[in-house]
Every structure is written in structure tokens, then in C-alpha cells.
Amino acid sequence: MNKKDNILIIGAGLCGSLLALRLAQRGFKVTVYESRPDLRTTDISAGRSINLALSDRGFKALRLAGVEEKAKEICIPMYGRLMHDIKGNTFASNYSGREGEYINSISRGDLNGILLTEAEKHENVTIHFNKKCASVDIENTIAHFKDYITKEEFSVNSDVIFGADGAGSILRKNYYLERKFLFSYSQNYLSHGYKELEIPADKVGKHQISKDHLHIWPRGEYMLIALPNMDGSFTVTLFLSYDEGEYNFNNLTSEEKITTFFEEQFPDALALIPSIKDEFLNNPTGALGTVKCSPWHYKNKTILLGDAAHAIVPFYGQGMNASFEDVTVFDEILNSFEDDEEISDWETVFKRYEKARKQDTDAIADLAIDNFHEMKDHVANPLFKEKQKIEKDLEKNFPDQYFSKYSLVTFNEEISYNEAMKRGRAQDKALLNLIVDDEVHTHLNMTKEELKVILEKVKEETNDILEEDKIAGL
């Protein structure tokens, strides 16, 4: 491992472009190949989420690369969820009881463009677009490409290959096709897919509904969510089963049935989407899947990062943040080796990185599935609302002592995903048990002394659950 190694990164998406930027800042020579056109000059958003949720873990990585402030300029803060019931009533729920904790809606393309531009400022970075990776010879670190424009097929030799080529990773595909080593791989899909729609800006370019919230229309077996864009519009995403229930993607094929579905289930959203029929029939339906695999690396030759190693469903808003955190953790591993002259090979770096990271990416994948059920159903449950009310009160009054599971995951970048999952799940169980047993309850004007009693009960019950889980090997 040295600065003269020729590093090839497959994929110039969010993870690949940030990785290229950070490796260049460390003095490595980096070449990046991307299958799509340059998104700074071509609109390539069709079929992909055009805005994403950026939170503390993502900002930590952007800060490391010196681009945090540029990213903040294109962020729209979302301070909580705004739920819409079937009658059009709304109720808000902040993400945290503490001041200053919120997530941000950000344009995927604009952020990716910032990272590409910053990376290209370094002479040791070269980025090629419209070059589709067809296969990778992992033993000899040779990647085979096809130029979409000229149709030319060519090969690239390198010393080490980083696969940041997303959930459909070609490098990962070659891991199991070449059978060079024992490789475990799973790709599990939800029975639901998604379709993107749009709430346009009003006549003067303003947002038609609150831009300060992530909007959710929970309906049990399906839901809508909406995130604000800088131009006054909202990207609306429908999550719906492919073939189950009265309404599903397979049977919503006529304009009449599409209209009936939205009139019955999302009347207030329908009033804001003037081209619902055209958008529903013409926009693609995307799949929702989780990818887990192991190992991520092959010898000292190749390694997977981001979605290529651990694609997750979008319901915790952590997909991009987790990929960015990959770069942060990888950078920390490189830091630890710079002071150790005896460690000079990439394989040692890769092994230590994977050991530090794997259980955390598995954890956020599981948490994202949990949040899918929470968002489409539980947020409207009275018991869940009571739990959230208590948690917000505890966070507001004891900001340094209590953190909800969501806060642990989203606003505490120094806590690993795995630790956040274990403690957060134990806290949820403890608090729900206490509510069901009527040992704690909410009422107006609860004093800080009363909340302190609840806090101590939750702490005690949480620690008991964590100890029981430890004994059980969970």
C-alpha cells in the first residue's frame, strides 16, 4: 500500500465520488469509471430518488472531505414528520426533543455534482463517464468496460479496485461468479415497490405544504411520503405492494382505478398532484431490497463499499449516510496504519475495515426494515404516539441522559449503528412495557420531577433487557 498505487474506483455516484475525493486528498492516484453520463450536464434522475435525507453521519464524512458547507447550502431542514390521516387532518412529530436536531432534504444530483467537481480539482483524479463495467478479473485486477458512446470495449489494469457501483455491483457479481473464495451473499426484497410522483410548486414558486417536515400518509399496507425540493416542489413516493391487497401495483393499471385509489386513500395529496394519472402510468416502479454479503474484499486486490457491500431500504433515511460513513471509517483505518511502518499491504487495511464496519451495516439494514413497518402503520397507533410523547419530553428535559432509538441512529454519529440498534430496541421495549403496565403515562404539564422518575424506570428496565439479551447471546 503506497501513494504510487494505481487505484480504480468503479462508480462515480455519491459513495464513489466522495471516496475518490478523500483518497485524492490523501495523495493517492485515483481513476474513476462511471456508466452514466456526467450528471452535471445531463439529467439522469429518471427512476431514481432525486432527493435524499442527509443527517449527522453524512455531514461528518462531508466535513472530513471539506465539503460540508457546500452541502449545507443546498439542504432543506426537516424538523420532524407531519402525518396526514385519511380525512386530511395532520399532526406533527419532531424527530427529537432537543433543540437543533433535524434531518435535511438534499438533491442527490446536486450533492453528487459537488463531490465530482471537488474531486476533479485534484490532479491525481481522473473521472470517465459513459463507461459501463462489464466484468472484473479480480485475480489480476483488470476491469473490462464498454463505452456507451463509441461502443468500444476496453480493459483497465490497476493495482487495487474499489467497487462503489451500487446495489447491482458488477464487482460483487464477479465475486461469486469467479468462485475464487467462499463468498456469502443475500438479496432480499420487500413485497412492496415504490413509484415517484411530484407535488409541483405553486404559481409563485413556493411550497404548497410545509417544507419544514417530512410528510407521511400512513395507511397500514401502503403509504406516501414527500420530501421538499429547493425549487418549491416535493418529491412524493408511493410505497405499495406489487400484488397483495385491494390496491397494488399490478392492478392499478387504469386511470379510473388510479384516481379512485387516491380519492379514497390520499385525497389531500391528490389535490396537490395535477398530473397524477400521467405520472403514475409513465414513471417506473422500483424495487426495495436489502443486500448483505461477506467478505467485502478479495486478498489485497479488491473491496466493496457503499451499496455494493450493503444496500438497504430507504426507511431510516440512512442509505447515503451509511455509505458516506463507510468512507469515514475507511479513512480512520488508513490513519491508524500511517503510523505503523510494518503494515503496508491493502489486505490488512481491508480486513480491519470490514471487521470494524460489517456489524454496523447489518444493523442499519435491519433497522431500516423495522422503520418501514413503523412509518406505514405504527406512527398512527395510540400506544406508539404515547411512547413518542414521553420520549420527546425526556429528551427535552434530560438532553444529555436520554436519546431515543431514532436519535441514537440519526444524531449521534459517534455511536455505532450496532450499539444504537441494541440500546434503542431495549429502550423501546422497556418504555412500551411500562406504558402497557400503566407504570408510566403522559399528561399535560408533567413536572420535571415526575419525568425524572420515568427516566430512572426506563433506564433500569433498559439495562435489565440489555443484560438479558447479553446472556441470551443476542
Side-chain angles (χ1 to χ4, degrees), residues 380-393:
N381 185 296
L383 188 62
F384 180 85
K385 289 182 182 179
E386 186 168 3
K387 180 181 81 73
Q388 278 208 317
K389 170 66 167 61
I390 294 172
E391 289 196 304
K392 298 300 182 294
D393 289 343

Side-chain angles (χ1 to χ4, degrees), residues 51-160:
N51 53 6
L52 301 165
L54 177 62
S55 54
D56 291 26
R57 295 176 194 271
F59 276 124
K60 181 180 180 180
L62 296 173
R63 191 179 314 126
L64 172 69
V67 292
E68 179 185 20
E69 294 307 314
K70 285 185 171 65
K72 285 183 176 179
E73 292 175 3
I74 58 171
C75 283
I76 300 178
M78 298 182 293
Y79 298 94
R81 298 165 170 168
L82 189 68
M83 257 63 71
H84 299 247
D85 70 16
I86 202 164
K87 296 180 180 179
N89 301 311
T90 61
F91 60 94
S93 175
N94 286 350
Y95 284 118
S96 168
R98 280 174 291 276
E99 294 291 330
E101 289 189 341
Y102 53 85
I103 64 175
N104 300 271
S105 178
I106 190 168
S107 163
R108 175 199 292 273
D110 289 348
L111 178 56
N112 206 159
I114 288 172
L115 295 173
L116 290 169
T117 298
E118 291 299 312
E120 284 186 328
K121 289 179 180 179
H122 295 265
E123 293 183 354
N124 50 332
V125 174
T126 305
I127 304 175
H128 303 274
F129 298 97
N130 293 301
K131 308 293 189 289
K132 171 67 175 176
C133 184
S135 65
V136 181
D137 178 345
I138 62 175
E139 188 65 56
N140 297 299
T141 56
I142 301 173
H144 304 286
F145 293 92
K146 181 175 182 178
D147 189 308
Y148 273 136
I149 306 299
T150 66
K151 309 303 180 185
E152 173 195 4
E153 295 181 0
F154 61 97
S155 300
V156 177
N157 289 273
S158 58
D159 295 306
V160 61

Side-chain angles (χ1 to χ4, degrees), residues 420-436:
M421 178 183 70
K422 288 182 176 179
R423 174 157 289 278
R425 283 178 170 176
Q427 279 182 177
D428 284 352
K429 185 176 180 181
L431 193 48
L432 287 169
N433 285 345
L434 292 170
I435 293 171
V436 170

Side-chain angles (χ1 to χ4, degrees), residues 411-428:
F411 305 123
N412 286 267
E413 70 271 20
E414 301 306 322
I415 296 175
S416 71
Y417 281 131
N418 190 55
E419 181 183 347
M421 178 183 70
K422 288 182 176 179
R423 174 157 289 278
R425 283 178 170 176
Q427 279 182 177
D428 284 352

Side-chain angles (χ1 to χ4, degrees), residues 76 198-211 227-235:
I76 300 178
E198 182 188 44
I199 295 175
D202 65 17
K203 293 180 180 179
V204 294
K206 300 295 184 181
H207 294 91
Q208 295 194 60
I209 52 178
S210 170
K211 68 178 178 61
L227 276 72
N229 296 308
M230 295 286 284
D231 65 359
S233 68
F234 281 81
T235 300

